[in-house]
Amino acid sequence: MGAPSPYLPGLATIMKIEEQTAMEKLFVVRPNDGKPLGHKPGQFVEVSVFGVGECPISVSSAPNKKADFEMCVRRAGNVTNALHNLKVGDVIGIRGPYGTHFPVEDLKGKDLLFVAGGLGIVPLRSFINYALERRKDYGRIIVLFGARTPADRLFKAEIASLARRPDLEYLETVDVGDASWKGNVGVITTLFPKFTIDPKKTYAIMVGPPVMYRFAIAAAKAKGLADDHIIVSLERKMKCGLGKCGHCQMGPVYVCQEGPVFNFAAIKNLEEALS
């Protein structure tokens, strides 16, 4: 009898569903074998909706010894639409975790500048909460979050809690405000003039849409950050999670195998990386 197929998912049960926005829901999932997922911040899983298909989804919760983990899913295709139609108690398939993770150990003692654009807050939330659970292990923590509109803001209650913490600096913006919005309006780089950093001890960890990276990296470098002090996650185009389908290939790099987390210094010359 041979080894089990790497494409064979384990079964997991949806324990809780929270609507975040009109397009995103947070799913709390528990593997049916009762074992913790065993992920690190920044990794992803392959999620199967039986009879529909499979897609890669970032893990949004911090690693812990509990069996449950969290994913925030945007409704954007057949699988994610089907996932949004499921209910508590339904069973899905999970493969993984896969991919590289944020260098949580290497960054101990460093100042952390998190830059989250839109859905980028989903994988970054795992690292942010990981760092806050080990607050003494890290230096200054700055979180920048940008959303398209106030209605598109994710994790609103958690964000309000973050903003009240005395040991964290939180800045937020929306591209387009409304009558209720009293905060900053503009793209996420409009937040950079509002703080100073020590570039020798600061690392920027960025996740967002492709268009954000070019401008956010330029803003970080303008503050003196070296290329190897900038960490990005390139999750787009991933599919099988095993480096077999070639869907995520950027030149010689398979994002699902060598990423999705990269040091910017290592991929800055890859034409497809940030375009």
Side-chain angles (χ1 to χ4, degrees), residues 150-167:
D152 296 315
R153 298 166 66 234
L154 297 169
F155 308 116
K156 294 182 182 67
E158 286 186 29
I159 283 173
S161 178
L162 285 182
R164 291 193 296 269
R165 287 186 68 119
D167 58 352

Side-chain angles (χ1 to χ4, degrees), residues 6 10 31 35-47 56-61 63 69 71 94-101 126 238 240-242 256-257 259-260:
K35 297 178 180 177
L37 181 65
H39 69 290
K40 296 288 182 71
Q43 289 190 296
F44 68 97
V45 291
E46 292 283 342
V47 179
I57 302 289
S58 296
V59 181
S60 189
S61 49
F69 66 94
M71 309 178 296
I94 297 291
R95 289 196 288 121
Y98 293 123
T100 55
H101 56 81
S126 179
M238 293 194 304
C240 74
L242 296 171
C256 72
Q257 293 291 291

Side-chain angles (χ1 to χ4, degrees), residues 8-137:
L8 185 65
L11 300 180
T13 301
I14 297 173
M15 306 304 294
K16 186 177 180 181
I17 301 173
E18 290 181 5
E19 188 165 310
Q20 292 286 315
T21 73
M23 294 294 290
E24 286 96 10
K25 289 182 177 180
L26 181 72
F27 293 84
V28 179
V29 176
R30 179 177 300 170
N32 285 7
D33 63 7
K35 297 178 180 177
L37 181 65
H39 69 290
K40 296 288 182 71
Q43 289 190 296
F44 68 97
V45 291
E46 292 283 342
V47 179
S48 297
V49 178
F50 299 116
V52 179
E54 182 183 63
C55 67
I57 302 289
S58 296
V59 181
S60 189
S61 49
N64 53 43
K65 296 181 180 178
K66 298 178 181 177
D68 294 358
F69 66 94
E70 298 173 351
M71 309 178 296
C72 186
V73 181
R74 172 173 289 176
R75 189 175 47 174
N78 290 338
V79 178
T80 52
N81 270 304
L83 193 57
H84 270 236
N85 290 331
L86 296 181
K87 60 185 183 301
V88 171
D90 284 341
V91 174
I92 58 177
I94 297 291
R95 289 196 288 121
Y98 293 123
T100 55
H101 56 81
F102 298 118
V104 294
E105 293 295 326
D106 293 343
L107 295 184
K108 284 184 176 177
K110 309 298 183 184
D111 291 350
L112 307 179
L113 169 60
F114 292 100
V115 183
L119 272 181
I121 191 66
V122 172
L124 280 181
R125 175 176 177 257
S126 179
F127 189 6
I128 293 169
N129 287 334
Y130 179 94
L132 292 177
E133 290 169 3
R134 299 157 180 80
R135 188 63 189 89
K136 292 181 180 177
D137 289 345

